[in-house]
Amino acid sequence: MNNYDIKTIIKEGLNKNHMTQAALANILGIERATVNRWCVGRAIPEADTFLRVCKLLNIRLDAYLYETQDPLSTQLLALGNHLNEKQRVVLLQMLMQIQDLLKETHIKS
């Protein structure tokens, strides 16, 4: 994800939510000029701030982060969002085991 993606995500999120840069800045407790710099691509927010912006504007980042539209990947990502940290670790371990099995199967065939 680059500056263009981030500025586009924020601008589109503001438009979809009928929110001004000033309103977003007010909610975040920052200056409107900072939000403006994000929207024109002269700066990008810190990662934690960007995630907060996305939550406030109801923006799903998985479409931007993952190039695939594979339904299984989408379902797994959605599942991961609803799990606590321990459950995510277990899911990740299971997926890694499946990946190893698939590699072994591929090598044998």
Side-chain angles (χ1 to χ4, degrees):
M1 190 177 303
N2 58 36
N3 285 15
Y4 176 78
D5 293 331
I6 292 172
K7 80 176 189 178
T8 302
I9 291 167
I10 294 173
K11 285 170 40 175
E12 288 176 359
L14 288 170
N15 287 336
K16 286 180 184 176
N17 288 280
H18 308 288
M19 185 182 288
T20 64
Q21 292 177 11
L24 179 60
N26 187 43
I27 292 169
L28 295 172
I30 60 176
E31 294 182 19
R32 186 201 60 78
T34 301
V35 175
N36 181 265
R37 284 192 292 277
W38 300 342
C39 290
V40 296
R42 286 194 315 233
I44 59 172
E46 294 289 327
D48 59 333
T49 303
F50 183 58
L51 291 175
R52 189 167 170 218
V53 167
C54 290
K55 285 181 181 180
L56 288 168
L57 299 177
N58 197 29
I59 297 168
R60 292 190 50 115
L61 288 177
D62 52 348
Y64 297 96
L65 296 174
Y66 302 98
E67 295 178 12
T68 180
Q69 291 300 321
D70 175 35
L72 180 58
S73 296
T74 303
Q75 290 175 18
L76 289 171
L77 288 170
L79 174 63
N81 290 334
H82 299 289
L83 301 176
N84 64 39
E85 190 62 31
K86 186 175 181 180
Q87 292 168 324
R88 283 188 193 134
V89 169
V90 170
L91 176 62
L92 181 59
Q93 289 171 340
M94 290 171 49
L95 292 172
M96 289 170 60
Q97 289 174 349
I98 291 169
Q99 185 179 24
D100 289 342
L101 288 171
L102 291 172
K103 285 180 185 177
E104 287 176 19
T105 305
H106 185 277
I107 290 171
K108 289 179 184 178
S109 41

